[in-house]
Amino acid sequence: QVQLVESGGGLVQAGGSLRLSCAASGSISSINVMGWYRQAPGKQRDLVAYISSGGSTKYVDSVKGRFTISRDYAKNTVYLQMDSLKPEDTAVYYCSYWYPDGRYPDRRYWGQGNQVTVSS
């Protein structure tokens, strides 16, 4: 069992920055992936970025060069630094934890969600 607690959402003007944090606790595996999804009203939940326990990262094209994902392994915490924010980044952001390469496919954990609103 893994629990994820998010923080850092809020309201910001276009061009501004926000930093999201997600702290994991419980039965943390040495091999895992942590990432961020987002869901705008009327849209599906889409992957934004992820980082593996080995440090490999991946970003959706729309945030490349603006967002940076990182993690503190000692604290089991993942961060999403969001710079040059655009109104189209407005969404509820969800932290997630899962296992790579199809391991334990039924075991995916989610944070509670954080609202990020970018005004123009």
Side-chain angles (χ1 to χ4, degrees):
Q1 189 71 244
V2 176
Q3 296 81 43
L4 303 172
V5 179
E6 303 178 31
S7 63
L11 174 66
V12 67
Q13 292 184 335
S17 298
L18 285 173
R19 178 179 168 93
L20 303 181
S21 298
C22 175
S25 62
S27 300
I28 307 301
S29 173
S30 61
I31 302 174
N32 62 69
V33 183
M34 296 184 71
W36 295 92
Y37 287 72
R38 66 186 180 186
Q39 186 169 24
K43 304 292 185 179
Q44 67 180 13
R45 186 177 298 185
D46 292 325
L47 179 69
V48 178
Y50 68 74
I51 182 167
S52 74
S53 51
S56 298
T57 60
K58 182 71 175 180
Y59 300 88
V60 68
D61 287 345
S62 60
V63 308
K64 288 180 179 177
R66 299 188 298 118
F67 291 10
T68 303
I69 191 167
S70 62
R71 60 192 294 174
D72 183 330
Y73 295 94
K75 296 181 178 180
N76 291 317
T77 299
V78 65
Y79 306 94
L80 187 66
Q81 178 67 42
M82 304 184 292
D83 298 320
S84 301
L85 282 161
K86 303 175 180 180
E88 50 262 47
D89 295 318
T90 295
V92 177
Y93 284 70
Y94 296 89
C95 178
S96 188
Y97 173 107
W98 68 96
Y99 301 92
D101 302 320
R103 298 179 177 88
Y104 310 109
D106 296 330
R107 297 183 182 180
R108 178 182 280 270
Y109 303 91
W110 296 94
Q112 78 278 12
N114 261 211
Q115 177 68 51
V116 171
T117 302
V118 184
S119 64
S120 60

